[in-house]
Amino acid sequence: MNKDRITYPDSIHDLLKVPELKRMFLKDIGSSPALANELEFLMNPPIPSEVFVKYLSPSAEKPVKVADQIRQAASQMMRGTSSDDLDKWSKIVALMRKGIINRFNSKIVPAFYQRDIFRQWHEPIAIAKAKANLGDPKKVAKKLGLDEHWDAPTLEKYMIAQALGRKDEAAIFEKKLRENHKLDVKYSENKERELKEKQAKGKTEVERTGVDLTPAKLLNCGFRNVSDKKLREAIMKFSIAVITAKKADQKAFFKKIQALEPESGIARNMPIEKLAKTMIKKGVINNQNIDKFDYYRP
């Protein structure tokens, strides 16, 4: 019998050779007198002259389950002249033994491997064997598509279930891993946002954004309507797009700047690349931010 890739004896004969299995098996069937009697019959075969009185008679000391034909044959022998025929009684014992062994091997032993007493003993052995052969958790996490935010204890349980061939159990742990991963990523994002907000408190707009919208610097870049709120907002968003290298946003806010500036405005008539370079050169866009993060590609 193979359980969690560990092989156990299939027959009662082999099972009783393993001391720990024998101990558990005897304890487990102790609550069933009929099975206990049958096991005793196998472990300590009776002498032929005692088999009827001890195991087969209506008032037997330790009755066992046997085929009706065997019981009827034994009863007829007791009523006839064969009650002392040791050869015939030996055949009865052999037939009884064969039937009991077949029943134990086909039903009782397989059922034992499903019992709590065995499962509780087997589980730590199986887990210890699986742990001894686990691979690299980082590689497993990567294969599952998880980044550094993975639940180590649950990942180990997933790996153990996989090693033991427990597909349903592994699927449950994989689902939990993915759910926890989403929560961990969300938690990390929230903590990062909180940290940025905390760091931003008490800082000026220039320190927070890396963008300086003082009128003198804007005029120096060629802007004209420097007091216009909408223009200043468009310049700010354009500058952030330059810092973060978001080309689509750069183009969108450049168009807004052109719409808000007079047609004769110097900044309005610059190509987008030149305007970005001019704003960096004149200090509207903090050049250190771009160099530090290596974002800007004009």
Side-chain angles (χ1 to χ4, degrees), residues 254-262 268:
F254 179 67
K255 288 181 178 180
K256 284 193 174 183
I257 290 171
Q258 289 180 313
L260 294 167
E261 278 282 89
R268 181 189 186 282

Side-chain angles (χ1 to χ4, degrees), residues 209-228:
T209 63
V211 181
D212 187 349
L213 298 183
T214 53
K217 287 190 175 183
L218 293 179
L219 288 169
N220 205 21
C221 289
F223 292 104
R224 291 293 174 263
N225 296 333
V226 295
S227 61
D228 184 280

Side-chain angles (χ1 to χ4, degrees), residues 125-246:
I125 294 174
I127 290 175
K129 185 174 181 179
K131 281 185 175 181
N133 297 290
L134 290 184
D136 185 350
K138 291 182 179 179
K139 291 182 179 179
V140 176
K142 185 178 181 180
K143 189 175 181 180
L144 291 173
L146 309 177
D147 56 20
E148 69 274 11
H149 302 285
W150 38 268
D151 178 358
T154 303
L155 180 62
E156 183 181 66
K157 291 177 181 178
Y158 166 80
M159 293 172 68
I160 289 171
Q162 286 281 54
L164 296 177
R166 300 176 180 177
K167 294 183 180 180
D168 291 344
E169 191 173 313
I172 292 172
F173 287 128
E174 181 179 349
K175 182 180 179 182
K176 186 177 180 181
L177 272 171
R178 296 190 184 284
E179 290 173 349
N180 289 347
H181 178 256
K182 289 180 181 179
L183 292 174
D184 288 344
V185 170
K186 187 175 181 180
Y187 175 80
S188 297
E189 290 175 347
N190 288 340
K191 294 299 289 185
E192 184 177 355
R193 183 167 55 253
E194 289 174 4
L195 178 62
K196 287 182 178 179
E197 289 174 354
K198 185 177 181 181
Q199 291 173 340
K201 286 183 178 179
K203 291 184 177 181
T204 64
E205 182 180 68
V206 175
E207 291 172 328
R208 290 196 311 272
T209 63
V211 181
D212 187 349
L213 298 183
T214 53
K217 287 190 175 183
L218 293 179
L219 288 169
N220 205 21
C221 289
F223 292 104
R224 291 293 174 263
N225 296 333
V226 295
S227 61
D228 184 280
K229 185 177 180 180
K230 289 184 178 180
L231 176 64
R232 293 173 64 86
E233 183 179 332
I235 294 172
M236 172 63 78
K237 291 181 177 179
F238 174 77
S239 300
I240 297 297
V242 171
I243 293 173
T244 56
K246 294 181 178 179

